[in-house]
Amino acid sequence: MKVPFNRVRLYAVLGGGSEQTTSKRKPKMLRYFAYTAVWAVAWMAATVWAADLDMVLKAPQSKVHGGDTVLIELYLHNPADAPITRELPLTLPCRIDLEQTNVSTQADLIGKGAMSRVAIPAGGFAKRQYTVTIPVYAMGSVRIQLEEIGVDPITIMVAKAPPKAWLGQQVPLDHDETLAQSFLDDFSVHKPMYFLLGVDPGLEQSKFQFSFKYRLFNPEGYLAEKAPWVTGFHMAYTQRSIWDLADDSKPFDDTSYMPELFYQIPKIDLHVERISAFGIQAGFEHESNGKGGDASRSTNRLYVRPIMAVYLVDSLYLMIAPQVFTYVNNSESSNDDLMDYRGYFDLEVGIGDTEGLELKSHLGWAKEGATVQMDLTYPMTRLSSKSLNFYLHAQYFNGYAETLLHYKERQNAFRLGFSIVR
């Protein structure tokens, strides 16, 4: 005789006593225990339903855009000597990992209940299909993880969503095309970006720098298709500030504003096995400190800078980038002899592991003497299980013209801090 499920009967089985008196005699704690036990059993059944199966996800083969609903295939292999029958979940929790965030959603079984039961013969295979909707703001490498069934995730490449896909979609503010510029793909880093504190604030002022560049012509546009060389034109901006944190009012001692227009040939094949990269950059850079009167400083220069990377061993590389420049319309009233302190040449040499420690140096020579800057960086991701995204940064500077305001004074400073671009 089949006994219907009854909460009172369940209490009696778990805690003893008759059905009629159990609800009066058992404390509330027993009721909670009963509910917990039932849900624990249900949860374990849901998470171990495929423990004896080998499972593989297959990524969609067609091109995927942000906002698309994609079809992913779940292959189930029965390695046992006997058939296995399982009931597949109609929906599965799904996590989509983007470059800057992750999204929780669900994957839906195609066919629903009609396809939920799957019978797999001994040593055989079965296939079921789930659909997942990609966030409209997803772009680039996207990782899809079906949770609670123990199958490895898949990674797919997602193209930018077409304009109509954004209609009616609620997206994060930093991805919303109505609030952010639509040409951000053309922005990239230019020079190192860091924030460094003087080890002795009374003698060594703090220093920070940020820098970016912007490609002027779309490489997928009509003009670039007809004349690919136009994609080498860039605008750039760099700002470097010296900050006097030892003073009571914490003033900026001097700031260099450096807008720039340059042309870059990113790849020239030298057909030398160990040369992993070679290119040339040439441009025009303005530099001024934005001050007036006797404190005003400004200069302009034309430069050429070949850049070469040499493979050494494993992930260790040597980078060499000599820069030759000349002055154009240098201020005759405020810094007419700047070239005597800054010179006409800067040699940049770096050696390091692309995923580890790197040492980079700048060496310049002028009439008044040499200037050297050494930068040692190490990624914090190696020390914090990829939790912190910056480099530990130590910098030593000895020479002239670190700032335009005090270009005639030899500076000697050791600074520590962090960088996000090295």
Side-chain angles (χ1 to χ4, degrees), residues 155-324:
T155 300
I156 62 175
M157 294 303 297
V158 177
K160 186 176 181 180
K164 63 180 181 180
W166 295 86
L167 297 176
Q169 298 290 326
Q170 182 174 343
V171 298
L173 293 179
D174 56 350
H175 290 283
D176 190 348
E177 294 237 325
T178 64
L179 298 178
Q181 296 295 331
S182 59
F183 301 112
L184 291 179
D185 292 344
D186 294 308
F187 273 97
S188 59
V189 299
H190 185 40
K191 297 179 181 179
M193 291 192 279
Y194 52 76
F195 185 92
L196 307 172
L197 296 172
V199 174
D200 184 348
L203 300 175
E204 300 159 333
Q205 296 173 323
S206 298
K207 177 182 178 182
F208 68 85
Q209 175 174 289
F210 63 87
S211 178
F212 59 85
K213 64 178 182 286
Y214 181 75
R215 182 175 53 204
L216 293 176
F217 294 93
N218 185 353
E220 298 179 359
Y222 174 80
L223 188 58
E225 181 181 346
K226 299 301 180 182
W229 56 269
V230 301
T231 59
F233 285 105
H234 293 75
M235 292 189 305
Y237 179 77
T238 302
Q239 183 171 319
R240 182 173 60 243
S241 296
I242 301 297
W243 198 356
D244 187 3
L245 294 178
D247 192 284
D248 291 339
S249 62
K250 308 294 187 294
F252 287 102
D253 182 49
D254 200 34
T255 294
S256 290
Y257 306 94
M258 294 170 278
E260 182 180 348
L261 178 66
F262 69 89
Y263 185 82
Q264 183 179 68
I265 303 175
K267 186 177 185 296
I268 300 174
D269 198 341
L270 300 180
H271 301 288
V272 178
E273 183 178 356
R274 285 194 172 271
I275 295 181
S276 59
F278 182 74
I280 294 178
Q281 180 178 312
F284 174 82
E285 182 183 56
H286 170 76
E287 180 179 359
S288 63
N289 65 354
K291 296 183 178 181
D294 294 338
S296 175
R297 303 283 188 272
S298 67
T299 188
N300 305 284
R301 59 184 186 139
L302 288 169
Y303 70 87
V304 177
R305 182 177 180 244
I307 307 167
M308 180 173 64
V310 181
Y311 170 73
L312 300 178
V313 62
D314 295 331
S315 56
L316 193 66
Y317 286 82
L318 172 69
M319 187 272 285
I320 304 173
Q323 182 180 111
V324 180

